[in-house]
Every structure is written in C-alpha cells, then in structure tokens.
Amino acid sequence: MSSVATAAKYPKHLTAIVTATLLAGGGGAWALASLGPDVSELPVQMVLEAVQPQLPPEATELDTPALNLYRSDLTRTTDTADTLLKRMGVDDPQAAQFLRTNPMARQALFSRSGRHVSIETVDTHRLGKLSARWSPDEGTHFQRLVVERDAKGFSARLESAPLVASTRLASGTIQSSLFAATDEAGLPDVVASQLAELFSGDIDFRRALRKNDRFNVVYEVLEGDGERLRTGRVLSAEFVNAGKVFQAMWFQPPGKDSAGQAYRGGYYALDGRSLRRAFLSSPVAFSRVSSGFAMRFHPILNQWRRHLGTDFAAPTGTPARTVGDGVVSFAGVQNGYGNVIFIQHRNATETVYAHLSKILVKRGQTVTQGDTIGLVGSTGWATGPHLHFEVRVAGVQQDPMAMAQKSETVPVPVAALPVFKQVASNVKTQLQAAASLQSTRFE
C-alpha cells in the first residue's frame, strides 16, 4: 500500500506516531520550537505606569523613629561639664553651657565622685536627657537630678525616690589580711569594716587572724533606678577563726520595752546572745593600733613612760565615734590632748578622744554608741594624725580592749524569742548558701 493511501486510511494513528517520535528524540524541543516565530524577532514594548501606594490612615500619622543612644558612667572629682559630656560621647556645646551655669546641675555633678550618671543622645551626639543618682549615707530615699532638652533649650529638676533593698551573698578565705580577702571576694570595704566590728568582741582582728580562716556574709545593697547606690548593713555573717565558729545576725525585736520605747535593732548570736556590748572595742572603724596600753618611748618627751590609752592611726578627717551611750562632759582644747572630748558613761566610766582636727559635739550633749563626735587629726602633742583614746573608771585608766570585751550584753527579750528563732533558722540557710559560693568557686 502506498504511503499516501496509508495516511489517508489511518490519519489519527500516523499523527500520534509522528508526535511521539519528535518528543522522544533529542531534537524534539528544536522541532517543536521551530514551529512558531523566532522570539528574538518579536516586537518589544515597555510599559511605564505610576503606582500610588495605598497606606491605612493610621500609618500616615507615624513618624520615623529617631536613633537614640544610651550610656552610663560615674562622676569624678575632676569632672567639668566638657570632660563629663565628652567621656560619655556627647558633643553639644549648648548642653555643656547649661551644665556650667545651672546651679542645681553644678551642685549635683561637679567636685563629686562616684555618682551614677546616665545620658540619652539624639540626632548626632546631641544631649537629649541626663540623669544623675546618688544616696545620702543615711535615709530610705535617693536623689535624682534630671536634665532634659525641651523646646526652649534645657531644664533641670531634682527628684527624690525610695531606695530598693536587695540581698547579696559572699564568702572568702583569709590569706594575708581581712581586707585582702574581702577584696578578693568582691566585697565593699564597708562590709569588711562591719565584719570586723561585728566580731570584735570575740576575735582580735589585729593579732588573732590565721591563714585559711574563712567567712560567709549576707549583706544588703540599696538601689535606685536599678543602680547600686549604697551598701547597707550586714544582715548575717559567719566567721571561722582558728577552727572556732562565730555567727551573728541582725534582729530588731518587735514591740516596745518597759519604758514604752520601740526595741532597738542589733546584732545577736544565733542562740539569742546580744553582740552589742556596752562599749565598742574601737572609736575608729577598723583602724590600725599604732600604740597600745603599755610602756612606750614617748616621741615628743623622748623618755619611756606608761601609755595609759590606745592610739589609732587614721588619716586626718576620719570620723571618731563614741564607744558607748553617755553625755559629753568636756569638748574643747586641753594641754597635750589638743582638741579633746570627754564623755561620761554609767558606772563612773569616762572615755577620752584626743588630737581631733574637729569637734562635732558640745558639752552637755547626749550621745549614743556609734555617733560621730569628731574627726581624727594631729592637734596637741601629736607627731602625726591619729586618735588617742582612753577609758577611765573612777578616774583610773583601763585597757580599752579589755573593757570592751568584759562589758555587759543584753539578750533577746523573752517575748520576742519565737520570732527570733524563726529568723535564726532562715539565717542558717542563707549562710549555708553563701558558703556554697566558695565551694563552687574552687571546683
């Protein structure tokens, strides 16, 4: 049969065979593509059309957010408006001029050290807002200076806000000295001084410390706007000296005493024994004893004579405090004592504070244990700044250290014992947690 006749008789079959052959072969794509016009020869037309974005109505009210930068630092005694702003990345002559001339800002920022400052910059290093925070040594509130940019330039205001207390734990081991160990543990010096004061009735921190003695402490930190502004009191502590364990906790008994006065808070051993004695062991917070209650060669008289007091070496201006409750019987200048204060206590006991650079009390004034009564100096017969301290009983000088350790203590009031025992139980848990910090550090 001829090919023409075959195609006429089986047209559908022949079409299917041809199509399959073209698709299966390597040239199938070329065969199919060549059936249409050449793409490169097709006319090209560019269409341009303006598109108007359709935003919701509320989106048009939003401004592009500005890029604000924040930075914090501490003030230095040498700071000026220019050096403070430059250190914090601010380049703003107008702001510097405001800080120089505004009395409130000058008083709060300059010739002061350790005050927390935070700034907010806008645009290109211009000052938007400056805040400075600081806390007095006493009280429950902190001060906040706020300097802000407004439409007219800058404004300043002073605010007061409550401090927020938080608790910290720490532990350490003595290798050379108490302060070296507390530094290693990251503790502020004020905590080290409180530790020494707290256990001074049981431990002689000047002569009895041993290598590998250890301590655990729970203390209070006072914060403002999230910044630590002041270290508070030690809440509880444990000291192991020569293998013997001493523990203490702060406790204020609830209620009032027989005179209708609220009980004073104080430190107690965990068995309820008060650690507050009638007399402190030192009139200067943890100072070096430069001359004790013994025979010595007098540096001015150039002769051996009995030293009937204790000398505490300390820089000029160091606070001198009364070691017990009493009344000021003399405050003025007296012979070799220079500026001196005499305080009369119970049981015919009198204390003497000599060579002061400044007297802060008056005759007849009532003072409470720990009150600052003057500042250390070198007036009178003194070869350098120190505090000469005496304890006299019925006019006879006594060893201040021995007097302090023998002075009476007051236990927890009987009615407050149930509360005390509950608090003491919690304190033991906290001290164990503090001790575990050191164990973790050495693992």
Side-chain angles (χ1 to χ4, degrees):
M1 184 180 293
S2 67
S3 59
V4 175
T6 302
K9 186 175 181 179
Y10 305 105
K12 293 181 179 181
H13 293 81
L14 183 59
T15 301
I17 292 171
V18 171
T19 302
T21 302
L22 291 174
L23 290 174
W30 173 86
L32 291 175
S34 62
L35 295 177
D38 190 344
V39 176
S40 62
E41 296 179 355
L42 293 175
V44 177
Q45 184 179 2
M46 182 177 293
V47 178
L48 299 176
E49 183 177 350
V51 178
Q52 184 67 34
Q54 299 296 321
L55 296 177
E58 59 271 17
T60 59
E61 300 177 2
L62 298 176
D63 295 327
T64 303
L67 178 62
N68 293 355
L69 301 178
Y70 300 84
R71 189 168 181 176
S72 298
D73 206 338
L74 298 177
T75 59
R76 305 172 185 175
T77 54
T78 56
D79 273 337
T80 65
D82 295 289
T83 59
L84 176 63
L85 292 178
K86 183 177 180 180
R87 189 168 72 250
M88 302 189 74
V90 176
D91 183 10
D92 191 335
Q94 185 182 6
Q97 177 65 16
F98 180 83
L99 296 182
R100 277 194 296 267
T101 57
N102 182 268
M104 191 182 298
R106 291 175 58 186
Q107 174 69 20
L109 295 174
F110 307 127
S111 299
R112 311 280 181 176
S113 63
R115 292 192 169 181
H116 294 258
V117 179
S118 59
I119 60 100
E120 175 184 346
T121 59
V122 297
D123 302 333
T124 55
H125 304 291
R126 290 196 310 152
L127 180 65
K129 181 179 180 180
L130 178 147
S131 297
R133 304 166 195 82
W134 67 94
S135 172
D137 292 337
E138 302 292 340
T140 59
H141 285 64
F142 71 96
Q143 300 296 308
R144 182 196 298 120
L145 169 75
V146 180
V147 175
E148 283 186 297
R149 180 184 293 276
D150 54 32
K152 298 179 180 180
F154 288 95
S155 62
R157 65 181 183 273
L158 192 61
E159 303 171 343
S160 179
L163 289 162
V164 177
S166 62
T167 301
R168 305 288 176 88
L169 311 179
S171 65
T173 301
I174 305 296
Q175 297 298 327
S176 57
S177 69
L178 176 62
F179 274 97
T182 53
D183 285 346
E184 179 68 22
L187 285 168
D189 285 350
V190 66
V191 174
S193 297
Q194 288 185 63
L195 279 175
E197 187 65 62
L198 191 53
F199 296 111
S200 62
D202 298 306
I203 304 171
D204 186 342
F205 281 87
R206 300 176 181 89
R207 290 172 292 192
L209 281 187
R210 300 288 185 269
K211 186 176 182 179
N212 294 326
D213 283 356
R214 63 185 187 277
F215 60 84
N216 306 306
V217 60
V218 180
Y219 65 101
E220 186 179 54
V221 168
L222 302 174
E223 301 176 339
D225 295 339
E227 298 277 2
R228 186 170 77 174
L229 301 182
R230 196 174 84 221
T231 301
R233 66 166 60 98
V234 168
L235 300 176
S236 61
E238 179 179 72
F239 208 105
V240 181
N241 173 237
K244 189 172 182 180
V245 179
F246 302 92
Q247 294 177 321
M249 58 176 274
W250 170 265
F251 179 71
Q252 182 167 6
K256 298 181 179 181
D257 59 21
S258 57
Q261 301 293 322
Y263 286 112
R264 292 176 58 183
Y267 288 101
Y268 295 83
L270 270 60
D271 60 3
R273 176 176 54 90
S274 174
L275 298 181
R276 181 183 182 270
R277 299 180 180 271
F279 293 99
L280 299 175
S281 62
S282 169
V284 181
F286 199 66
S287 174
R288 179 176 61 87
V289 174
S290 55
S291 183
F293 189 82
M295 292 294 292
R296 68 161 185 175
F297 187 78
H298 198 284
I300 294 179
L301 300 179
N302 292 319
Q303 60 181 354
W304 285 93
R305 60 185 299 176
R306 187 166 182 77
H307 189 233
L308 299 177
T310 303
D311 289 346
F312 294 87
T316 298
T318 300
R321 60 189 182 177
T322 177
V323 297
D325 301 345
V327 177
V328 178
S329 56
F330 180 86
V333 180
Q334 191 178 105
N335 301 325
Y337 284 134
N339 292 330
V340 62
I341 298 171
F342 290 74
I343 295 179
Q344 194 68 44
H345 308 275
R346 294 187 304 116
N347 301 324
T349 302
E350 185 178 54
T351 53
V352 182
Y353 312 77
H355 306 315
L356 299 169
S357 62
K358 190 172 184 178
I359 294 173
L360 301 177
V361 292
K362 297 179 180 180
R363 182 177 180 178
Q365 181 176 335
T366 299
V367 293
T368 302
Q369 185 183 80
D371 286 351
T372 298
I373 57 175
L375 304 179
V376 171
S378 53
T379 57
W381 294 353
T383 56
H386 70 281
L387 179 71
H388 174 79
F389 175 63
E390 296 181 17
V391 175
R392 302 174 180 179
V393 178
V396 179
Q397 282 92 346
Q398 306 287 328
D399 184 346
M401 301 299 177
M403 282 289 297
Q405 292 184 349
K406 293 177 181 178
S407 60
E408 60 190 13
T409 61
V410 181
V412 175
V414 175
L417 277 175
V419 177
F420 178 87
K421 290 179 179 179
Q422 180 60 48
V423 175
S425 176
N426 295 335
V427 163
K428 290 179 181 178
T429 302
Q430 291 178 331
L431 291 175
Q432 289 173 355
S436 69
L437 295 177
Q438 190 173 26
S439 300
T440 303
R441 195 160 59 237
F442 287 111
E443 288 178 355

